[in-house]
């Protein structure tokens, strides 16, 4: 598997071999306990105190070794589970958080709902259960081989009922038949369990997502008095969860009922079968108890499929959810290497200008929004972008590398960094200093620089809260959040700034003030701003009016810009 061939392969393989060695030690101790069990009952049958004391001493040694091996085994197994989970989580996160895939994934078809739950929970279940199940399977196979040999040795042969025919290894045959019947009936009764478990996990994820979404939008819900609607929606999600829970319960009922009877009969069945041999004097009490215990160990090993059916279903469901997400992320990654005619090609230019050449923007389903877009934007220009919101915001995402759907070329300017400012800036939970410096470390800028940026953005009153820890997206109103986004520009001093309605919450005077401040603080910065408010043209040198209609997009004032609509 990829994890065992990764850069950490020798450590992973070393821990895996250690886990196998400790599993062998566990099996050896179980075998020792089986032989000790025979010696104990023989000592009791002989009423020998000396032999009993020897067996007590032997048991103490076996007990101490069992405790030590079990503890060490658990330590190694849990390290391997966590390390595999860490490796797989990092691999999926790298693809999810690369090149805007986390955003693009929302716009593409596929089985990848609730990717956060798949990464946090399903990877956890898959890695932990896979190692636990593999260990228990190896353990069961070793137990089967060992105790089949013991049972063959101690029970010998027996007459077939009503005949003189001798059946060698009859207890092994009975153990296989007993476990086989249990497995077949268990599999038949548990067939619906995998499907029911998968559907239940999806319902659980939907319920969690709904609650998280309500928490993130709590202010909007409260202002619109939408609590009843959200409560109703949560009830709908929980009702679906409950429905799928009961379906899983029905799937469990048959297998649990059968397993309980199967388990109660198991310790009694071999004693009843071998009792005539003991009564006839052909085996000692110790041999009888050793054989009965070996029969239980053997049938338990053979019952591994039925005993682990629920966990196998859970592991399989989580593996499917992780693999579905990973495949869709790989598909998004592969689209970035498609021929230029099938996607929008973003290329780093050697010039200090941005060029849009024969740009066609479409939806993920192929519907064309605009095509034939040719624009050249020079360093230091200030361009207002207006028109159809779908097209303008699509253009914003194209330039940010988030929207590959369409074709044509975008030549990005060489030189200093570019900065994109969405309508609602992301403010991570933590100190205001960290939120203001994001995505850079919290100690990137000095306190004086932070205070100056806040003052220039019109939120100087937040300077005294730099070290407070809050969920700032919930604590601050949208207008203050947008001003913090502007303050980041004053700190970062980017050469190119792309603004998507980042002043939509401002009154006209406040927007005029911030535009003047941007001109003064960032005099050489190229500014491209999407805005649908009127009266802002005086702050810009050119205007792009983008529309679905032919010849209805202009550059500057009155200069036609070719923008055709695909019929």
């Amino acid at each position: 598997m990829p994890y065992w061939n990764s850069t950490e392969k020798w450590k992973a393989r070393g821990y895996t071999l250690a886990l196998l060695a400790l599993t062998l030690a566990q099996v050896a101790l179980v075998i020792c306990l089986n032989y000790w069990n025979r010696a104990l009952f023989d000592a009791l049958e002989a009423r020998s105190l000396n032999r009993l004391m020897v067996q007590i001493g032997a048991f103490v040694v076996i007990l101490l070794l069992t405790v030590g091996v079990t503890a060490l085994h658990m330590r190694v197994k849990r390290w391997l589970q966590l390390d595999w989970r860490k490796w797989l989580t990092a691999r999926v996160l790298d693809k999810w958080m690369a090149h805007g895939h986390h955003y693009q994934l929302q716009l593409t078809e596929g089985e990848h709902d609730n990717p956060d739950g798949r990464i946090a929970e399903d990877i956890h279940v898959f890695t932990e259960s896979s190692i636990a199940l593999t260990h228990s399977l190896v353990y069961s196979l070793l137990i089967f081989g060992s105790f089949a040999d013991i049972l063959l040795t101690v029970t010998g042969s027996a007459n077939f009922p009503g005949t003189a025919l001798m059946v060698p290894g009859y207890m092994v045959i009975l153990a296989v038949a007993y476990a086989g019947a249990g497995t077949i009936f268990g599999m038949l009764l548990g067939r619906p369990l995998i499907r029911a478990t998968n559907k239940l996990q999806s319902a659980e994820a939907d319920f969690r997502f709904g609650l998280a979404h309500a928490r993130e939008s709590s202010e909007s819900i409260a202002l619109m008095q939408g609590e009843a609607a959200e409560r109703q929606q949560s009830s709908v999600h929980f009702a679906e969860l409950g429905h799928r829970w009961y379906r899983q319960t029905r799937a469990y009922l048959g297998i649990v009922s059968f397993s309980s009877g199967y388990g109660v009969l198991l310790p009694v069945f071999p004693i009843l079968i071998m009792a005539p041999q003991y009564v006839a004097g052909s085996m000692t009490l110790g041999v009888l108890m050793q054989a009965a215990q070996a029969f239980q160990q053997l049938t338990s090993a053979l019952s591994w499929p039925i005993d682990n059916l629920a966990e196998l279903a859970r592991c399989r469901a989580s593996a499917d959810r992780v693999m579905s997400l990973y495949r869709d992320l790989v598909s998004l990654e592969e689209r970035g290497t498609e021929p230029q005619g099938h996607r929008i090609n973003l290329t780093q230019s050697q010039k200090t200008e941005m060029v849009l050449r024969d740009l066609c923007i479409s939806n993920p389903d192929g519907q064309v929004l605009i095509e034939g877009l040719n624009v050249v934007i020079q360093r230091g220009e200030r361009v207002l972008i207006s028109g159809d919101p779908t097209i303008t915001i699509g253009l914003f995402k194209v330039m940010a590398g988030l929207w590959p759907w369409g074709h044509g070329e975008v030549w990005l300017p060489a030189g200093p960094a570019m900065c994109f400012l969405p309508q609602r800036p992301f403010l991570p939970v933590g100190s205001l200093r960290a939120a203001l410096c994001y995505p850079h470390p919290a100690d990137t800028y000095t306190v004086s620089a932070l205070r100056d940026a806040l003052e220039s953005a019109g939120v100087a009153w937040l300077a005294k809260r730099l070290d407070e820890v809050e969920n700032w997206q919930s604590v601050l109103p949208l207008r203050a959040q947008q001003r913090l986004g502007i303050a980041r520009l004053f700190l970062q001093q980017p050469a190119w700034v792309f603004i998507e309605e980042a002043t939509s919450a401002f009154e006209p005077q406040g927007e005029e003030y911030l535009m003047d401040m941007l001109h003064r603080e960032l005099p050489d910065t190229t500014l491209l701003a999407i805005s649908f408010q009127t009266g802002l043209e005086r702050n810009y040198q050119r205007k792009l009016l983008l529309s679905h209609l032919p010849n209805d997009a202009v550059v500057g004032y009155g200069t036609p810009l070719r923008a055709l609509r695909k019929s």
Side-chain angles (χ1 to χ4, degrees):
M1 294 183 70
Y3 167 65
W4 280 269
N5 291 316
S6 66
T7 55
E8 300 291 328
K9 61 183 178 183
W10 295 116
K11 184 183 290 186
R13 293 174 183 179
Y15 270 82
T16 303
L17 289 175
L19 190 65
L20 178 60
L22 290 167
T23 302
L24 290 170
Q26 287 180 318
V27 172
L29 288 168
V30 172
I31 294 172
C32 289
L33 191 61
N34 178 260
Y35 277 98
W36 173 86
N37 197 57
R38 172 179 176 172
L40 173 68
F41 279 96
D42 283 342
L44 291 174
E45 188 177 33
R47 291 180 171 80
S48 172
L49 183 60
N50 290 334
R51 290 169 61 184
L52 179 62
M53 296 304 296
V54 169
Q55 295 310 313
I56 291 175
F59 177 77
V60 171
V61 174
I62 295 173
L63 176 64
L64 293 176
L65 288 174
T66 300
V67 170
V69 168
T70 302
L72 187 57
H73 181 276
M74 186 190 70
R75 174 70 182 85
V76 172
K77 182 177 74 172
R78 288 181 64 83
W79 182 94
L80 197 58
Q81 288 170 329
L82 179 62
D83 197 65
W84 188 15
R85 179 186 177 186
K86 180 176 69 174
W87 177 86
L88 185 55
T89 299
R91 191 169 182 181
V92 177
L93 275 176
D94 285 345
K95 293 192 178 297
W96 190 48
M97 284 295 178
H99 311 298
H101 290 164
H102 54 93
Y103 170 77
Q104 296 169 1
L105 200 66
Q106 305 173 64
L107 306 174
T108 58
E109 296 181 354
E111 186 63 33
H112 48 240
D113 58 300
N114 303 316
D116 53 326
R118 293 173 188 244
I119 294 172
E121 181 64 21
D122 287 310
I123 289 180
H124 169 214
V125 171
F126 169 60
T127 53
E128 183 174 323
S129 295
S130 294
I131 289 177
L133 287 168
T134 301
H135 158 254
S136 64
L137 176 60
V138 171
Y139 178 84
S140 296
L141 291 173
L142 292 171
I143 287 291
F144 171 78
S146 301
F147 281 92
D149 181 66
I150 291 173
L151 204 55
L152 282 170
T153 302
V154 299
T155 58
S157 304
N159 290 331
F160 191 81
T163 70
L165 178 63
M166 296 296 293
V167 180
Y170 73 102
M171 287 302 295
V172 174
I173 296 173
L174 284 176
V176 172
Y178 187 94
T183 299
I184 292 172
F185 279 107
M187 292 292 287
L188 291 174
L189 292 171
R191 283 175 62 183
L193 193 58
I194 292 178
R195 184 169 60 254
T197 300
N198 193 7
K199 290 184 176 180
L200 177 60
Q201 285 182 264
S202 295
E204 293 276 11
D206 290 340
F207 182 60
R208 287 195 306 269
F209 177 79
L211 295 177
H213 184 65
R215 173 178 54 79
E216 293 169 358
S217 307
S218 59
E219 181 182 356
S220 300
I221 294 170
L223 290 173
M224 298 179 67
Q225 298 182 351
E227 290 88 350
E230 290 302 313
R231 182 68 182 84
Q232 176 64 25
Q233 187 64 28
S234 296
S235 297
V236 170
H237 283 307
F238 195 84
E240 180 65 16
L241 187 156
H243 173 67
R244 294 184 179 184
W245 173 273
Y246 284 120
R247 290 195 65 177
Q248 189 194 46
T249 301
R250 287 195 296 271
Y252 266 126
L253 278 176
I255 192 170
V256 169
S257 300
F258 174 76
S259 296
S260 60
Y262 178 90
V264 169
L265 180 60
L266 179 58
V268 178
F269 181 77
I271 294 178
L272 295 177
I273 294 296
M274 293 183 292
Q277 287 180 276
Y278 173 71
V279 172
S282 60
M283 66 171 56
T284 65
L285 179 62
V287 171
L288 174 66
M289 299 311 295
Q290 182 187 20
Q293 189 186 67
F295 184 94
Q296 293 180 49
Q297 292 286 354
L298 189 58
T299 52
S300 294
L302 290 169
S303 301
W304 182 88
I306 190 62
D307 291 340
N308 292 279
L309 185 61
E311 190 62 21
L312 283 166
R314 181 167 173 255
C315 182
R316 172 66 183 273
S318 291
D320 288 345
R321 287 170 59 81
V322 173
M323 288 306 300
S324 177
L325 172 63
Y326 187 78
R327 281 194 301 267
D328 289 344
L329 289 171
V330 170
S331 177
L332 280 175
E333 190 174 61
E334 290 173 348
R335 289 178 192 173
T337 61
E338 288 179 349
Q340 294 184 12
H342 298 83
R343 62 180 174 84
I344 296 173
N345 185 40
L346 270 69
T347 306
Q348 193 73 37
S349 172
Q350 299 300 318
K351 301 179 181 180
T352 58
E353 63 183 16
M354 171 176 284
V355 179
L356 311 182
R357 182 178 299 165
D358 295 327
L359 181 63
C360 171
I361 305 174
S362 63
N363 284 330
D365 60 5
Q367 180 186 4
V368 173
L369 301 177
I370 193 170
E371 62 182 1
L373 191 57
N374 291 279
V375 182
V376 178
I377 300 171
Q378 302 293 340
R379 172 69 188 276
E381 281 195 279
R382 299 178 183 274
V383 181
L384 176 64
I385 304 174
S386 187
D388 188 298
T390 304
I391 301 175
T392 55
I393 294 173
L395 179 61
F396 177 84
K397 293 171 182 175
V398 166
M399 293 186 291
L402 300 179
W403 198 275
W405 298 284
H407 58 82
E409 295 182 334
V410 176
W411 291 84
L412 301 176
M418 305 166 65
C419 184
F420 292 85
L421 191 61
Q423 184 180 31
R424 183 183 290 272
F426 176 67
L427 302 175
V429 177
S431 68
L432 182 61
R433 182 197 303 270
L436 194 55
C437 294
Y438 185 87
H440 306 295
D443 58 355
T444 303
Y445 305 102
T446 64
V447 174
S448 60
L450 295 174
R451 292 179 183 274
D452 290 343
L454 290 172
E455 183 176 358
S456 298
V459 281
W461 54 276
L462 285 173
K464 61 183 179 182
R465 304 182 66 181
L466 283 173
D467 294 318
E468 290 186 22
V469 176
E470 294 282 1
N471 182 357
W472 298 104
Q473 291 193 175
S474 300
V475 170
L476 297 178
L478 178 58
R479 184 178 303 176
Q481 293 181 41
Q482 290 184 339
R483 288 184 180 274
L484 282 179
I486 298 294
R488 283 174 177 165
L489 298 181
F490 297 142
L491 285 171
Q492 297 174 15
Q493 298 283 311
W496 291 73
V497 174
F498 301 83
I499 298 178
E500 178 200 359
E501 295 190 271
T503 56
S504 60
F506 292 13
E507 69 285 351
Q509 296 83 356
E511 190 163 7
E512 290 281 350
Y513 166 79
L514 274 181
M515 288 300 106
D516 290 340
M517 187 62 69
L518 282 171
H519 295 334
R520 184 165 60 251
E521 296 292 329
L522 306 172
D524 299 323
T525 295
T526 307
L527 180 63
L528 293 90
I530 294 175
S531 180
F532 305 106
Q533 299 186 28
T534 59
L536 300 177
E537 286 82 359
R538 75 175 188 86
N539 297 305
Y540 301 91
Q541 297 165 327
R542 287 201 289 165
K543 180 178 181 179
L544 299 182
L545 182 60
L546 305 180
S547 172
H548 286 283
L549 299 176
N551 303 322
D552 198 26
V554 298
V555 56
Y557 297 104
T559 305
L561 172 66
R562 182 168 174 264
L564 304 178
R565 178 182 62 185
K566 184 176 181 179
S567 59

